[in-house]
């Protein structure tokens, strides 16, 4: 499993996803509104992780809750 590696790279992974979302909107693949919603959700997740940084560990249950949070935005 790559979870231990992923937990060290969360910030870069989330920031890369935000840039990807913006590119998709710029290319007309998704709407600007959807890109903003995605990026707002990702920013919230990043804030949540940063608040818990000393206690944060990536687990499968965190990954599942992340998917649900993104789907709700």
């Amino acid at each position: 499993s790559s979870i231990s590696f992923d937990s060290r790279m969360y910030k870069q992974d989330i920031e890369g996803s935000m840039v990807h979302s913006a590119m998709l909107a710029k290319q007309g693949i998704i709407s600007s509104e959807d890109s903003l919603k995605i990026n707002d959700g990702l920013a919230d997740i990043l804030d949540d992780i940063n608040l818990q940084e000393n206690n944060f560990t990536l687990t499968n249950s965190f990954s599942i809750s992340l998917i649900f949070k993104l789907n709700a935005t």
Side-chain angles (χ1 to χ4, degrees):
S1 168
S2 65
I3 287 180
S4 63
F5 180 76
D6 292 343
S7 65
R8 294 188 308 250
M9 299 293 297
Y10 73 88
K11 184 176 180 183
Q12 292 83 356
D13 190 24
I14 291 172
E15 289 173 348
S17 294
M18 294 171 93
V19 171
H20 189 226
S21 169
M23 179 278 300
L24 291 172
K26 185 174 182 178
Q27 296 301 317
I29 297 168
I30 64 173
S31 69
S32 294
E33 181 181 319
D34 284 345
S35 178
L36 289 173
K37 287 179 183 179
I38 290 167
N39 286 348
D40 285 347
L42 289 168
D44 287 346
I45 291 165
L46 187 58
D47 289 344
D48 289 347
I49 293 171
N50 286 333
L51 288 173
Q52 306 174 40
E53 189 167 355
N54 292 332
N55 298 320
F56 173 72
T57 55
L58 185 61
T59 63
N60 287 333
S61 61
F62 176 82
S63 298
I64 292 167
S65 66
L66 170 65
I67 292 166
F68 284 117
K69 186 168 188 169
L70 286 175
N71 285 332
T73 59

